[in-house]
Amino acid sequence: MEDFGLYAYQEEVVERALRGENSIIWLPTGGGKTRAAVYVAKRHLETTPRAKVVVLVNKVHLVDQHYNKEFKPHLGGGYIMVPVSGETEQKDFFGSVVQDSHVIICTAQILYNALINSEETRHVELSDITLLIIDECHHTNKDSVYNKIMRCYVEKKLRGERLLPQILGLTASPGTGGAKILERAVEHVLQICANLDSAIVSTKNYAPELKKVVPRPMKTYDIVEKRPEDPFGQHLKWMMELIHGYMNLPPDLQLRECGTQEYEADVVLLEKQGVKEHNRVLAQCALHLREYNDALLINDTLRMMDAYRSLEGFYDTKSATVMDGTDIFLVGLFEENQIELKKLATDSRYENPKMAKLEDVLLNQFGQAVQSRGILFSKTRKSTHCLHDWVCKNRALQGAGIRAAILTGAGNGITYMTQHEQADTIRRFRQGGLNLLISTSVAEEGLDIPECNLVVRYGLLTNEIAQQQASGRARARESQYSVVAQAGGREVRREKMNEYLEDLTGKAIAEVQAMNSHVFRKKVRVDLQIQAVIANKFAENLKTEKRSRYAASSVQLLCRNCFKSVALGSNIKLVEKSHYVNISPDFKTQYKFGGQNIIDKSFEDWEPGCTIICNNGNCNKQWGFEMKYKKVAMLPILGIDKFALETPDGRITVKKWKDVPFTVEDFSFEEYCQDNFPDILD
């Protein structure tokens, strides 16, 4: 293995995989899991007849990263390699791609779609694959797409099918699954092993070498005291109390403390209750209270002006959508207090002390004579934009030579980044044009980001896996991992708990590894795999029953804002297993158009059109957008969370289309054309 450049600890962890055994490689971030997997793939291709290697990743940008940085440099010469994602044309004939290639690197969703697709050019069988590598395999749980693929695998194995691929999982931490005692943590690790049908391996003999290659950063708790006065936050809470009074809440209903995640959960339930009870006062007040609560959370973490602008941005759109007395009260309350809120938000005497502490932490690592590189992790896309604005306007930080950029997840919308923007930001960071990334969790795992001197966790409440991933980004010598938080606050308590859980994970893995092989196999196969298959069948039956609970024609879709009935469930069809559209010609009278919907990629059979919004008076609730399908059909794509469902047994709300209590039939383009263009077809 010397010519491949593996460390001794990497050679140790691939031994079982090289013998053809299913295994999970457990190494810390920066430990070279992917390089070890490339070596296993290389040996597999050299020694296995008709070898076919599929590498699964859980994020689109990792497809090209693994292809260009790891697999192509070491395997590209003698093998046909293809990267496939939802942004590439190969997804449309993925079955043929698998047949014609030696190594395929793709998102897990691409493979799963191929497993359940019956079209010959798109279909793939697990038996077509000889080695299946699963990156960040700790995500193989619950209803994740990784686990859907592995359920297919486990069911085939339990039925006695032999032509199944070898499994190789890669993870920096399987976590404890929320368990806080060793026995439950062991059960979680065993469940991950059962889901992947694999044993978990780590270095035993070369742990000192691993520690030397991947040093742990120096961890600091940079603590600030709670600000003695917060008139801006107190004024927001006073306004929230006025809304509570307007709602006329029952005396026995106790909302939890304002400015917490728990309060947010309470008002989310209140909004749903209001929709179900046709109580627009309750529903709308709950929506506005969530915005005030969000402003309090921002005020606790960022600048007061960031919190103020968050509310201001929300109400900029609300003045044009006033429908009744509730809207008049809510919009009027903000407008009456807007000047006072802005005045308080600009009073520097009451500014958030966490920002000053964060400034100190950054200045300690950055300076004109220091070549530093860092990542500042924050919770939301909104907070990364606020922090970037603060860094760019802070004279001291600019004087220290900090060149910052935002790194967030890909998607559609003003606060999302395109795949190209992500790649360009990381390239500039790697080349030194940038030296500070202000990032959401997207930078915690998987991304090929250079070694950092500093990693800061700011205003975060995450689990032990995310903490370990973030810590692993501080890989430069004598690097610092800083937690900036309020004394006695939730962030400190969670960070301390995560430290305990990280240690617990290691102990749980050690117990699993020490198990007698017969006991391990029995627990995995009998206690967990068979049980999981039975539970999955039961859950699928329940879903089928739920989807057929009502006839589609008996369910009405109501705008979630104005409660007007605008469609029937039978009007909804499913396009290409992905898009839920309304095919009724009469539906066009229910909406009007907003701006053009921009999506930074092209699709084979459709293109996005304008956003659509409720046409009932002054409602203006955004429902989705139109798609132009096969250059002919203009079909409105709807988000089910924008609607309430009126069923024969009462009103309900659902988050996702898969949860609707009626069957949605597949869209037929031929039938659509016959109904809408009969003269042309005749």
Side-chain angles (χ1 to χ4, degrees), residues 384-522:
T384 62
H385 283 264
C386 293
L387 286 167
H388 181 256
D389 179 71
W390 170 71
V391 169
C392 292
K393 292 177 179 177
N394 186 295
R395 292 183 179 179
L397 298 180
Q398 291 303 299
I402 292 180
R403 301 177 301 279
I406 295 164
L407 182 63
T408 61
N412 306 313
I414 192 168
T415 59
Y416 286 91
M417 297 183 75
T418 66
Q419 297 291 339
H420 175 74
E421 288 170 338
Q422 277 188 340
D424 183 61
T425 298
I426 294 170
R427 177 188 58 79
R428 291 164 60 205
F429 187 63
R430 187 180 298 115
Q431 294 175 352
L434 301 170
N435 55 15
L436 180 67
L437 293 181
I438 304 173
S439 179
T440 56
S441 60
V442 69
E444 285 174 353
E445 64 180 37
L447 282 176
D448 180 26
I449 293 175
E451 296 177 347
C452 294
N453 308 74
L454 175 67
V455 167
V456 182
R457 301 254 293 171
Y458 189 72
L460 285 175
L461 293 170
T462 56
N463 62 22
E464 72 279 9
I465 296 176
Q467 178 177 308
Q468 287 172 258
Q469 299 276 15
S471 174
R473 293 297 171 194
R475 299 202 294 266
R477 297 293 170 184
E478 300 181 356
S479 58
Q480 178 186 359
Y481 172 86
S482 167
V483 179
V484 177
Q486 181 179 297
R490 294 168 296 163
E491 296 98 331
V492 174
R493 293 196 297 272
R494 181 66 62 86
E495 197 79 15
K496 294 288 187 182
M497 173 58 73
N498 286 342
E499 290 175 5
Y500 165 74
L501 294 178
E502 181 179 352
D503 183 58
L504 188 63
T505 300
K507 291 177 180 177
I509 291 172
E511 284 218 4
V512 170
Q513 291 174 331
M515 280 182 178
N516 173 277
S517 59
H518 174 74
V519 172
F520 175 79
R521 284 195 297 270
K522 177 183 177 298

Side-chain angles (χ1 to χ4, degrees), residues 532-587:
V533 168
I534 294 171
N536 185 52
K537 293 296 184 186
F538 182 72
E540 286 298 321
N541 289 337
L542 285 179
K543 287 180 183 177
T544 302
E545 289 178 17
K546 181 178 180 181
R547 283 193 290 265
S548 58
R549 185 178 305 167
Y550 306 111
S553 58
S554 70
V555 178
Q556 298 179 62
L557 274 70
L558 282 60
C559 174
R560 194 155 174 167
N561 182 52
C562 66
F563 298 160
K564 182 185 178 184
S565 176
V566 295
L568 293 175
S570 52
N571 300 146
I572 308 300
K573 303 297 178 186
L574 179 58
V575 177
E576 295 182 351
K577 307 294 184 186
S578 301
H579 313 294
Y580 290 84
V581 302
N582 189 320
I583 64 167
S584 170
D586 297 333
F587 186 59

Side-chain angles (χ1 to χ4, degrees), residues 127 129 153 156-166:
S127 56
I129 306 166
Y153 178 101
K156 288 178 179 291
K157 179 190 174 185
L158 293 176
R159 288 198 299 265
E161 296 188 26
R162 294 180 178 272
L163 291 177
L164 291 171
Q166 178 187 348

